[in-house]
Amino acid sequence: MTDAHADSDPDSDLGSGPDFGPGSSSHPPTADPLSPQARRLCDAMTAGFPGPGDTGALRAAATSGSGRAGPAVASVSDTVADGVLVRIYDPAPGPADRPLVVFLHGGGWMMCGPDSHDATCRSLAVAAGAVVVSVDYRLAPEHPWPAAPDDALTVLLWARERARAYRCDPGRVVLAGDSSGGNLAAVTALRAPELVAGQLLFYPPLDASMDSASVETYAEGYFHTAAHMAWYWDQYGGDPEHPHVSPLRAPDLSGLPPALIVLADCDILRDEGLAYARRLARAGVDCAVQLYPGVFHGFLGLPLPAGAAALRAAGAWVAEVRAADPAAAGRPDRPDPHRRAPAEG
């Protein structure tokens, strides 16, 4: 793992994006950059995963999961958060000022749910000593943008209101998500920065244009293909230029909560994550990057040492998140967090 603060060298080349240089090399690697264990797993998963275009087949494949069991927690309960289904993980009795994590699952905005990410949420809850609220947001294409980000914002507001009931500090609410869920976490932080103490983004898609160099380098052969990602964007909908679709295109990232961005080195989305980290750092946001070599997109939920290490490190980061600054609330240059994203015209 490469662990670096994004603002340690503001002139270093951390990836492509607006005003961020050429990014990584677009030439395919001459040797397999995946570890032998990751390569075997990648090839096995690829063989059983449908190509883009068949929503039902993709959902069925995603439902099969990896079979990885998560650690035991004190309680798991399902409830409804102002109309949105959620699953709540409490790792063990703890102090009344614990952090609370609103977790948004990946799956191209159109697959997966709390069941597929059960082990991940259990592991994060235990590692962080935090209550985790897993969001069963509405899926595309039946519910295109802005349904999912609206559900995420609804649960964030609900979680803050009820944090005390779960012995959590309402000022220490962290948004987290993997893949498309990382996009939703970043978008929700943009919409309501004063309500969020931290954002934990695992290999998020951040720009619908998909024009970074890593898209070409890892377009095929690393499970999550460029063709799949392009199709997921199409199914999700929304204006690709809108920052609530493509956070990397947001004109101003100042005032956002601290971020930890966790990336796989062999991933089409790697350079988008690096570019976002660089923009956050330039905007004065406390941002750290953890880049894991030898693994591919989705490694967090797979039986790989890097996945377990990333969850432990993420949990430690969440445990250290301080309460959000109440003085940031109501800034005139920030949108009303209760305002819904505009529907497509």
Side-chain angles (χ1 to χ4, degrees), residues 88-301:
I88 301 170
Y89 299 83
D90 193 333
D97 61 349
R98 296 181 295 176
L100 186 151
V101 178
V102 174
F103 184 84
L104 299 147
H105 66 81
W109 302 281
M110 54 172 297
M111 297 176 286
C112 300
D115 288 343
S116 62
H117 285 65
D118 179 78
T120 295
C121 289
R122 288 171 177 268
S123 297
L124 184 58
V126 170
V131 170
V132 173
V133 178
S134 181
V135 184
D136 193 9
Y137 59 84
R138 288 171 291 173
L139 300 178
E142 295 88 348
H143 304 283
W145 184 91
D150 280 353
D151 287 352
L153 180 57
T154 294
V155 175
L156 169 64
L157 297 170
W158 178 91
R160 283 181 55 90
E161 291 174 356
R162 290 159 179 79
R164 296 292 186 197
Y166 295 103
R167 296 184 59 80
C168 295
D169 183 346
R172 298 182 71 197
V173 175
V174 173
L175 289 165
D178 69 312
S179 194
S180 56
N183 168 281
L184 295 175
V187 166
T188 307
L190 280 169
R191 296 178 72 182
E194 67 277 9
L195 303 183
V196 182
Q199 47 183 326
L200 174 58
L201 314 179
F202 296 100
Y203 35 80
L206 298 165
D207 188 350
S209 69
M210 295 178 59
D211 62 357
S212 65
S214 59
V215 173
E216 180 179 349
T217 303
Y218 300 106
E220 295 182 349
Y222 300 91
F223 180 63
H224 182 48
T225 70
H228 279 93
M229 189 70 246
W231 190 71
Y232 298 152
W233 278 118
D234 287 342
Q235 301 305 298
Y236 183 47
D239 179 358
E241 300 285 340
H242 199 295
H244 295 170
V245 175
S246 299
L248 191 56
R249 295 175 179 263
D252 180 14
L253 299 181
S254 63
L256 289 178
L260 173 61
I261 302 179
V262 181
L263 304 171
D265 194 35
C266 306
D267 183 5
I268 61 172
L269 301 178
R270 181 194 65 194
D271 288 356
E272 292 175 32
L274 293 173
Y276 199 60
R278 186 167 185 171
R279 284 205 59 200
L280 287 170
R282 285 179 169 175
V285 177
D286 180 8
C287 179
V289 175
Q290 293 177 352
L291 178 64
Y292 286 81
V295 293
F296 57 96
H297 185 89
F299 76 95
L300 191 72

Side-chain angles (χ1 to χ4, degrees), residues 10-30:
D11 296 319
S12 64
D13 181 15
L14 287 179
S16 63
D19 302 322
F20 299 112
S24 60
S25 171
S26 61
H27 297 291
T30 57

